[in-house]
Amino acid sequence: FDFGEEMVHQMIHTIEFVLACISNTASYLRLWALSLAHAQLSEVFWDKAVVEVGLESGNMVLVFITVTAWACFTVGVLMGMESLSAFLHALRLHWVEFMNKFYFGDGYRFVPFSFALLDSGDLD
């Protein structure tokens, strides 16, 4: 038992753990920021389109058009940003969570399927 080697080994694991915690926190903050961005975009578009153009004009047809445009824009941004959020979350789970815990990189070399190799019997 070598105390110095064990100490260095434990320090390396501690640094890896702290970096993984910071990485996970930053990854979740990125998803939270995307959610906040959607909320702010919707509010700004409501103020600029519906309130300033539609409601201040007093014209009910213009109010209907601006509210419809706001709803379509908000749903479009919602679908785009939430799809991006789901994609980023799946990537985060794959690369940050899965790769840190279960992937070791050992195994065997990938050999694509080939009828020529199958016929020759040379599968190694």
Side-chain angles (χ1 to χ4, degrees):
F1 178 75
D2 184 15
F3 181 75
E5 184 177 332
E6 193 65 30
M7 185 70 163
V8 169
H9 187 72
Q10 290 302 317
M11 285 302 295
I12 290 171
H13 279 292
T14 302
I15 291 169
E16 285 180 353
F17 178 77
V18 169
L19 288 176
C21 288
I22 293 169
S23 175
N24 288 344
T25 303
S27 186
Y28 276 116
L29 285 175
R30 189 177 313 120
L31 293 171
W32 178 65
L34 199 61
S35 175
L36 284 178
H38 170 256
Q40 284 304 113
L41 278 173
S42 180
E43 184 178 342
V44 166
F45 193 66
W46 174 265
D47 289 339
K48 294 297 179 189
V50 177
V51 174
E52 289 182 12
V53 175
L55 293 177
E56 289 181 359
S57 71
N59 186 352
M60 289 308 291
V61 174
L62 193 55
V63 170
F64 178 76
I65 290 171
T66 56
V67 168
T68 304
W70 171 81
C72 291
F73 179 76
T74 300
V75 169
V77 169
L78 175 73
M79 292 302 293
M81 292 183 91
E82 293 303 318
S83 297
L84 180 64
S85 176
F87 174 72
L88 287 175
H89 191 60
L91 273 180
R92 193 198 74 72
L93 286 175
H94 230 91
W95 291 103
V96 174
E97 299 287 336
F98 178 77
M99 293 296 190
N100 280 348
K101 292 180 182 166
F102 306 112
Y103 181 72
F104 297 109
D106 51 357
Y108 55 90
R109 186 174 174 198
F110 172 72
V111 178
F113 180 77
S114 169
F115 284 112
L117 289 176
L118 192 63
D119 288 339
S120 70
D122 185 28
L123 296 175
D124 296 330

